[in-house]
Amino acid sequence: MPDGWHEVNIKMFQELSLLEGDGEQKAIELISILADKDPDEIKTISPEDFKLIIPAILWTNIVPTDEYKTDIEIDGITYYLQKLKSLSLGEWIDLDKWCENSTVNLHKIFALLYRPVDEEYDVAKMNARAELFLEKLMISDVYGTLLFFLIIGNQYLNLIKDYTKEIPKTS
């Protein structure tokens, strides 16, 4: 099991973010995700062992660091955070669509925002990178970017929406 956010990949973080409720059932689901085990298997743990596991996962009650990285390395490839002002209209449209359900689309959002130096926006490459990020990108590396983007990115998206509403129609 992970012992901190630095060992939680995007896929796990998405699953954790979708947990609802509280109490023992939520704890079972939480342990299930972190241990990559079926919830029914977790239910077979003895109450004594269950009580021992809970302190080991208390770190999940603390949010990941909000420090963001301008570059991340996975499998020997460095991915750089793109400047928001350099994003094309198509990229903003994709981001707008994905932000409607940002938790489910985190891997796509990060695959658009982080790419190798000088790589132009390419949907096929971005989709392949998104799949890689699901498994190999740790949330501790990009949580600060997520917070920053959700605040600043949404402001940009609202400006674009407002601007397009003001464009006069031509006949």
Side-chain angles (χ1 to χ4, degrees):
M1 264 198 321
D3 66 2
W5 291 113
H6 64 284
E7 294 181 348
V8 173
N9 64 24
I10 297 300
K11 183 177 180 180
M12 286 174 122
F13 184 77
Q14 289 170 322
E15 292 173 6
L16 293 170
S17 297
L18 296 173
L19 284 178
E20 293 181 352
D22 56 7
E24 194 172 287
Q25 185 58 39
K26 185 174 181 179
I28 289 169
E29 293 291 327
L30 177 73
I31 295 167
S32 167
I33 293 166
L34 293 174
D36 196 23
K37 302 283 184 193
D38 187 87
D40 289 333
E41 190 175 338
I42 303 303
K43 290 177 185 176
T44 65
I45 296 173
S46 72
E48 293 80 23
D49 288 343
F50 189 75
K51 287 179 185 177
L52 292 174
I53 293 172
I54 296 301
I57 61 171
L58 288 177
W59 56 265
T60 60
N61 292 325
I62 302 166
V63 295
T65 179
D66 62 356
E67 184 177 327
Y68 72 92
K69 295 183 177 183
T70 57
D71 60 277
I72 51 176
E73 186 176 324
I74 299 173
D75 294 341
I77 299 172
T78 303
Y79 301 92
Y80 297 92
L81 180 62
Q82 302 301 297
K83 293 184 169 124
L84 294 180
K85 66 181 179 181
S86 71
L87 299 180
S88 69
L89 179 60
E91 289 168 305
W92 279 109
I93 290 169
D94 287 346
L95 284 172
D96 184 37
K97 177 177 63 177
W98 296 330
C99 285
E100 290 174 9
N101 196 348
S102 60
T103 301
V104 172
N105 294 309
L106 277 180
H107 58 301
K108 294 178 183 179
I109 292 168
F110 290 130
L112 187 145
L113 293 175
Y114 284 92
R115 52 187 119 143
V117 72
D118 295 331
E119 181 183 292
E120 295 295 319
Y121 185 59
D122 178 290
V123 175
K125 287 180 183 178
M126 196 268 324
N127 286 333
R129 188 166 46 253
E131 291 304 310
L132 172 76
F133 282 5
L134 268 175
E135 300 297 329
K136 295 199 173 188
L137 180 60
M138 299 302 140
I139 193 62
S140 61
D141 290 334
V142 291
Y143 189 75
T145 303
L146 175 64
L147 293 179
F148 176 80
F149 178 77
L150 289 178
I151 294 167
I152 300 300
N154 283 337
Q155 290 175 355
Y156 271 118
L157 290 171
N158 288 333
L159 285 173
I160 290 170
K161 286 177 185 177
D162 290 345
Y163 178 76
T164 56
K165 287 178 187 175
E166 295 175 12
I167 297 175
K169 294 184 179 185
T170 58
S171 35

